[in-house]
Amino acid sequence: MTQFKPEGRPTVIPRIFTKDVAGVAGFTASVFGAQGEVPANAPADLRIGESIIMVSDGGGVREPQPACLYVYVENTDETWRRAVEAGALTIEEPADMPWGDRRATVQDLWGNTWQIATMIAK
């Protein structure tokens, strides 16, 4: 089989276009523990666990485009608290969902929606 993607990269990578790449990267680092650099003239690859989120300014070709991301974390309530402290607006406070996740939903300062979840039942 032909190598069609870089080694270690998933097949699907969510992408956020924003005018404030450093701000979004800082938010994801402080709330979700994201790791990654914000290089000049290239998208930022932010790693949360085994996942990658690509964040860029669109290179003058694309307008800002927020995303909606469902992120599993060890503790929904603690992560939700960090998001709110980082300036996010609460859309849904932490609550147990009928399918077995404890979930909260916030919107960051750039319009991205983050659903923060922890599996509580199998």
Side-chain angles (χ1 to χ4, degrees), residues 5 13 16 18-19 54 58 62 84:
K5 63 182 182 66
I13 300 174
I16 297 171
T18 179
K19 292 183 188 249
M54 191 180 292
R62 294 167 194 87
V84 171

Side-chain angles (χ1 to χ4, degrees), residues 21 25 35-39 42-46 55:
V21 175
Q35 302 287 314
E37 301 295 321
V38 179
D45 282 350
L46 306 177
V55 182

